[in-house]
Amino acid sequence: MSLTLGDQDRPELRKLIKGMIESGFTGVTMRLHDEQGEWVGSAGARELGGTEKPPVDGYVRIGSNTKTFTAALVLRLVAEGAIELDAPAADHLPGLGLDPRITVRMLLRHTSGVFNFTGEYHADGTFTPGIPATNTGQEWVDKRFTAYQPEELVRLALSRPARFEPGTGWSYSNTNYVLLRLLVEKATGRSFAGEMRRLVLEPLGLSDTLVPDGDPELPEPHARAYYRYEDAGRTETVDVTRHDPSWISTGGDMISTTRDLHTFISSLLSGKLLPAPLLAEMCEPHPETGYGLGLFVQQASGNGGTIITHNGGVAGHGALMYSTADGSKTLIAALNYVDDAALSLAEAFQKAVAQLVEEVFGGQDTPAAER
């Protein structure tokens, strides 16, 4: 195992990322900004069987962190007056047959009830498939260079029964954020990628953050991503670093670096991107799930305070993004691993993340006499 350290010796962090490699991840790069300054560490390998470490400033597919970028863009357009949060989304998308009760806010918050085009997991353990996605095994591998149009994904989702009446429940659905992509383009008459650059990436100087649309390439440098599946009784593992990300679209297609993710979340939460009232609405959590508008709101243990977060994983690449509510302390990580339909690393992922968050953000319990 290869390990690279930042300027500070943080043995507790080194131990945690080493443990992530031992639990099954191919490589991990972590960037922490806190009261002690900046620390960057890297563990594991850039590719399976290799010895070269993952690049500290490498590019990674950030998965559902894309949703936080998309939400920030939509709220910038709300600030400009181009979009209204509580207006029907169908006002901008009249040709899709979208339920007129669904508002822009519901799309941002996952309370619309629309079917998830990558498939739905139900409480009874059953699964309703959507398009060939990474939860379908070899089918996704064979079709990973298939090009999809955002409207195609939305129409498939809207052809399926809704999960619940708009505004009456919560269900995480990639469809919500592809609808937001279409809505941005209809409301502005410009491309989603162009608006993302104009209103989010360029104002924050995020030159290494990309909206790839259907481009299968990942800029250098980067770690490799893999996918494992069963074929005629044999286990096959293939390199899926290159694939057409239009299958996930704005549900999780963006590319970034740990440095840019730190700049984005710290700038967003410190008020550099949105007016204070809109930022407050973004960070207002759903009472049952803690989801705001494109991000999760959590409470750290002890007196650690509020944590704002969104994580993402897509086909062997992943990213963690955590921050205090004011953006003053951030924890960012880029991951590469072997993905599969069974999400075999999910338990290890959850355990590792919980340990990281506890180490970085967990506060000491205040004695009762001092409360």
Side-chain angles (χ1 to χ4, degrees):
M1 183 188 73
S2 173
L3 187 68
T4 297
L5 309 180
D7 293 336
Q8 306 169 52
D9 185 14
R10 303 286 290 267
E12 73 283 4
L13 300 178
R14 296 203 313 270
K15 180 180 178 181
L16 286 169
I17 60 175
K18 179 181 178 182
M20 294 179 73
I21 301 304
E22 292 171 347
S23 70
F25 289 92
T26 307
V28 179
T29 297
M30 193 170 77
R31 184 180 298 273
L32 173 66
H33 287 252
D34 65 5
E35 60 279 358
Q36 298 184 49
E38 180 185 55
W39 184 90
V40 181
S42 178
R46 184 172 182 166
E47 59 185 354
L48 279 178
T51 57
E52 184 182 359
K53 65 183 182 293
V56 170
D57 289 313
Y59 291 89
V60 65
R61 299 188 189 278
I62 65 172
S64 285
N65 288 292
T66 300
K67 294 182 174 71
T68 312
F69 280 88
T70 301
L73 169 56
V74 170
L75 291 172
R76 288 274 282 177
L77 289 168
V78 170
E80 286 190 348
I83 292 173
E84 294 182 20
L85 264 179
D86 294 307
D91 287 355
H92 293 288
L93 301 169
L96 294 176
L98 192 63
D99 190 318
R101 295 172 294 176
I102 295 174
T103 65
V104 175
R105 187 188 301 272
M106 291 178 192
L107 296 179
L108 287 164
R109 211 176 193 195
H110 293 298
T111 56
S112 70
V114 296
F115 180 88
N116 184 5
F117 66 82
T118 50
E120 286 282 9
Y121 293 90
H122 304 283
D124 61 2
T126 59
F127 175 69
T128 302
I131 64 161
T134 49
N135 48 28
T136 63
Q138 185 176 355
E139 185 180 14
W140 178 77
V141 172
D142 292 344
K143 297 181 178 180
R144 68 186 184 276
F145 291 105
T146 301
Y148 295 91
Q149 294 300 314
E151 188 170 315
E152 178 184 1
L153 302 175
V154 165
R155 289 192 180 279
L156 180 147
L158 296 182
S159 72
R160 306 288 177 85
R163 296 295 304 273
F164 46 79
E165 296 289 308
T168 65
W170 188 91
S171 182
Y172 191 89
S173 174
N174 291 308
T175 308
N176 288 315
Y177 277 75
V178 182
L179 279 163
L180 288 167
R181 179 191 192 115
L182 294 175
L183 191 149
V184 165
E185 294 185 338
K186 291 290 187 179
T188 65
R190 295 181 288 270
S191 74
F192 176 84
E195 287 298 271
M196 182 66 75
R197 287 191 295 271
R198 180 177 76 89
L199 290 175
V200 178
L201 305 185
E202 290 176 356
L204 298 182
L206 304 180
S207 58
D208 290 325
T209 300
L210 311 170
V211 179
D213 292 321
D215 188 347
E217 303 300 332
L218 190 63
E220 292 284 359
H222 59 259
R224 311 300 297 182
Y226 300 90
Y227 191 87
R228 179 175 53 234
Y229 65 98
E230 298 296 320
D231 181 15
R234 300 188 312 275
T235 300
E236 304 286 351
T237 300
V238 294
D239 187 322
V240 294
T241 309
R242 294 181 70 255
H243 68 262
D244 187 324
S246 65
W247 69 271
I248 187 66
S249 188
T250 329
D253 67 352
M254 288 180 68
I255 294 166
S256 192
T257 64
T258 58
R259 189 183 300 276
D260 267 16
L261 289 177
H262 155 71
T263 300
F264 169 66
I265 195 66
S266 62
S267 298
L268 173 66
L269 296 176
S270 63
K272 295 178 181 176
L273 201 58
L274 296 174
L278 280 178
L279 180 59
E281 290 201 65
M282 189 180 196
C283 296
E284 178 65 32
H286 186 279
E288 296 175 9
T289 66
Y291 203 85
L293 305 181
L295 43 74
F296 284 96
V297 183
Q298 303 176 354
Q299 293 302 310
S301 64
N303 59 357
T306 300
I307 303 171
I308 306 298
T309 179
H310 213 306
N311 297 328
V314 56
H317 273 159
L320 312 181
M321 185 170 65
Y322 287 86
S323 177
T324 51
D326 63 357
S328 63
K329 178 190 290 188
T330 67
L331 171 67
I332 310 294
L335 315 171
N336 55 302
Y337 55 97
V338 181
D339 201 0
D340 59 19
L343 302 175
S344 299
L345 274 177
E347 185 176 347
F349 176 85
Q350 295 296 337
K351 182 179 179 180
V353 169
Q355 291 174 331
L356 279 172
V357 172
E358 175 64 23
E359 181 63 45
V360 174
F361 296 99
Q364 298 297 316
D365 286 329
T366 303
E370 297 179 14
R371 289 177 186 163

